[in-house]
């Protein structure tokens, strides 16, 4: 899924290159897009402070949330379970939302600038980039409001632009105005590797990679099956 300054959301089939569907959001330019790993629904953050949820089969948004009143949404992320969404706004606030009830759980204030990037690791550690600082919160920070972060890292005058955790490793990559930095965040990666999961075996040889590619094509589901409830059929 892609979206740009035109505000038009487009879905493309990566195996064939065909255009699956395209929807007009009618909310102007959009620079924040993330996919929920639980149900594959796309979340869009808009300049009017709202977050909308989309699927390929619907020409209208599935859910619309006013997350940051009067401020643009600058970043967002979801955890692996699909229960919590974290949004960062131009009001220098990071808010945690319960996607089961679509209600705000609590919020954190950032210093040194508005949050430009957020990400949640496989184990639930929350990483936030704001100004020349990055802060990391324990998994419990999604459920209850904590007073102090787990770790802090200062970029020494380099503004944070992007932040992503590396899967299955305790490493976080930070993109900033002077390049890329990687730091160690203990406990952020999933320690138990399931080699049968799709393309997650790091020791995969060429034959196994080809077999996995064929299997993924055979098991490919129709885009019409993407919905808020992944257990619902039809």
């Amino acid at each position: 899924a892609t979206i740009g300054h035109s505000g038009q959301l487009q879905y493309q089939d990566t195996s064939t290159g065909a255009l699956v569907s395209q929807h007009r959001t009618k909310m102007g330019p959009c620079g924040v897009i993330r996919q929920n790993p639980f149900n594959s629904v796309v979340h869009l953050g808009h300049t009017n402070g709202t977050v909308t949820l989309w699927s390929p089969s619907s020409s209208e948004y599935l859910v619309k949330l006013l997350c940051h009143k009067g401020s643009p949404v600058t970043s967002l992320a979801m955890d692996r379970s699909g229960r919590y969404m974290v949004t960062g706004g131009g009001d220098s606030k990071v808010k945690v939302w319960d996607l089961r009830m679509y209600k705000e759980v609590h919020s954190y204030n950032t210093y040194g600038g508005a949050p430009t990037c957020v990400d949640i690791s496989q184990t639930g550690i929350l990483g936030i980039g704001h100004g020349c600082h990055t802060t990391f919160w324990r998994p419990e920070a999604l459920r209850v409001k904590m007073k102090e972060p787990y770790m802090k890292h200062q970029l020494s005058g380099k503004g944070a632009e992007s932040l992503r955790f590396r899967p299955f490793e305790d490493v976080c990559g930070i993109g900033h105005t002077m390049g890329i930095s990687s730091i160690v965040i203990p406990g952020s990666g999933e320690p138990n590797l399931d080699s049968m999961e799709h393309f997650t075996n790091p020791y995969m040889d060429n034959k196994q990679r080809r077999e996995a590619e064929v299997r993924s094509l055979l098991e490919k589901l129709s885009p019409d099956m993407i919905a808020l409830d992944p257990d619902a059929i039809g």
Side-chain angles (χ1 to χ4, degrees):
T2 58
I3 193 170
H5 289 288
S6 63
Q8 188 155 327
L9 178 64
Q10 293 185 334
Y11 285 88
Q12 280 187 298
D13 191 328
T14 55
S15 58
T16 63
L19 182 66
V20 176
S21 63
Q22 54 183 358
H23 312 303
R24 289 181 58 200
T25 61
K26 303 175 185 176
M27 294 187 187
C30 178
V32 182
I33 178 173
R34 291 294 288 267
Q35 187 182 44
N36 192 327
F38 177 65
N39 54 15
S40 298
V41 170
V42 168
H43 295 224
L44 302 179
H46 303 280
T47 55
N48 59 0
T50 60
V51 172
T52 52
L53 279 59
W54 296 81
S55 75
S57 58
S58 175
S59 59
E60 294 289 331
Y61 53 77
L62 305 175
V63 177
K64 183 179 180 181
L65 292 170
L66 179 57
C67 297
H68 299 270
K69 189 174 182 179
S71 301
V73 176
T74 57
S75 53
L76 59 88
M78 284 73 66
D79 70 334
R80 294 177 70 186
S81 66
R83 295 178 181 176
Y84 296 101
M85 175 179 71
V86 178
T87 62
D91 52 0
S92 296
K93 285 188 177 182
V94 174
K95 297 185 178 182
V96 181
W97 299 81
D98 191 330
L99 290 177
R100 293 167 293 182
M101 300 180 292
Y102 301 107
K103 291 183 178 180
E104 181 183 345
V105 181
H106 50 260
S107 64
Y108 298 96
N109 293 321
T110 60
Y111 58 91
T116 53
C117 45
V118 297
D119 195 28
I120 301 175
S121 74
Q122 290 178 317
T123 56
I125 291 179
L126 171 63
I128 306 169
H130 47 100
C132 301
H133 310 272
T134 53
T135 52
F136 300 89
W137 299 78
R138 292 187 182 276
E140 294 81 16
L142 297 177
R143 297 186 292 273
V144 296
K145 187 168 184 176
M146 303 189 75
K147 294 182 179 180
E148 293 293 328
Y150 170 48
M151 293 182 71
K152 296 180 182 179
H153 178 69
Q154 192 162 353
L155 297 171
S156 303
K158 297 172 283 192
E161 298 288 342
S162 60
L163 182 149
R164 290 292 183 273
F165 288 97
R166 187 164 181 175
F168 305 105
E169 293 187 23
D170 295 345
V171 176
C172 179
I174 304 169
H176 47 75
T177 52
M178 299 295 288
I180 300 174
S181 300
S182 59
I183 59 174
V184 176
I185 306 296
S188 63
E190 172 64 52
N192 302 313
L193 177 67
D194 184 3
S195 61
M196 295 301 291
E197 196 174 337
H198 180 58
F199 283 115
T200 56
N201 185 5
Y203 311 107
M204 190 182 295
D205 56 24
N206 289 335
K207 182 180 179 182
Q208 290 174 320
R209 190 173 288 107
R210 286 196 299 268
E211 289 178 353
E213 191 170 342
V214 172
R215 192 184 306 117
S216 66
L217 290 173
L218 292 173
E219 295 175 351
K220 186 175 74 172
L221 295 174
S222 170
D224 296 335
M225 299 187 70
I226 296 177
L228 289 174
D229 185 5
D231 298 325
I233 299 176

